[in-house]
C-alpha cells in the first residue's frame, strides 16, 4: 500500500524511473492517466519528485511531468552500454547511469 509506506517512511525525494515512453496516442494517454493517478500518492509538502527518463526514448517521446518537477533525460544525457538484448544496460551501464543520476541530484 503506497500511501501507508509513504506515511511511514516520509521521504524528502521520490524518483520515478520511466521504463518506456509510449509512442502512440493511446499509449501516451494511458501513461499520462497512470502518472496523474500516481502523483498524489508520492507528492506532498517537503517531498521533491524527480522523473528519470528511460534509457531509450521512442522518436517524439519525452515523458510527462508537472512543470515544477525535475526531469533527467537519460537518453539524451548518456550513452549506456547495452546487454545482449540491445535494450537493457549492462552492469557497467547501470552503474554509470546511477552515478550520473547521483551527480545530477546533488
Amino acid at each position: 500500500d503506497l500511501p501507508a509506506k509513504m506515511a511511514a517512511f516520509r521521504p524528502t525525494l521520490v524518483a520515478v524511473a520511466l521504463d518506456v515512453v509510449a509512442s502512440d496516442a493511446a499509449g501516451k494517454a494511458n501513461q499520462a492517466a497512470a502518472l496523474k493517478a500516481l502523483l498524489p500518492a508520492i507528492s506532498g509538502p517537503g517531498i521533491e519528485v524527480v522523473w528519470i527518463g528511460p534509457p531509450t526514448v521512442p522518436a517524439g517521446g519525452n515523458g510527462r511531468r508537472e512543470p515544477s518537477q525535475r526531469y533527467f533525460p537519460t537518453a539524451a544525457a548518456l550513452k549506456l552500454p547495452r546487454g545482449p538484448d540491445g535494450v537493457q544496460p549492462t552492469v557497467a551501464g547501470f552503474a554509470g547511469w546511477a552515478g550520473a543520476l547521483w551527480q545530477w541530484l546533488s
Side-chain angles (χ1 to χ4, degrees), residues 53-67:
T56 304
V57 179
N62 65 0
R64 297 195 179 263
R65 63 194 179 281
E66 297 297 316

Side-chain angles (χ1 to χ4, degrees), residues 4-40:
K5 290 181 187 217
M6 291 290 292
F9 187 67
R10 300 186 323 193
T12 57
L13 174 73
V14 174
V16 180
L18 304 169
D19 186 27
V20 175
V21 177
S23 58
D24 66 325
K28 286 182 181 183
N30 287 339
Q31 284 182 336
L35 292 174
K36 188 173 184 178
L38 175 67
L39 195 55

Side-chain angles (χ1 to χ4, degrees), residues 41-89:
I42 62 172
S43 59
I47 300 173
E48 180 180 6
V49 177
V50 297
W51 302 92
I52 302 167
T56 304
V57 179
N62 65 0
R64 297 195 179 263
R65 63 194 179 281
E66 297 297 316
S68 62
Q69 295 164 346
R70 296 194 296 162
Y71 179 79
F72 182 79
T74 301
L78 300 173
K79 298 278 191 248
L80 299 174
R82 305 297 173 146
D85 66 359
V87 177
Q88 297 300 321

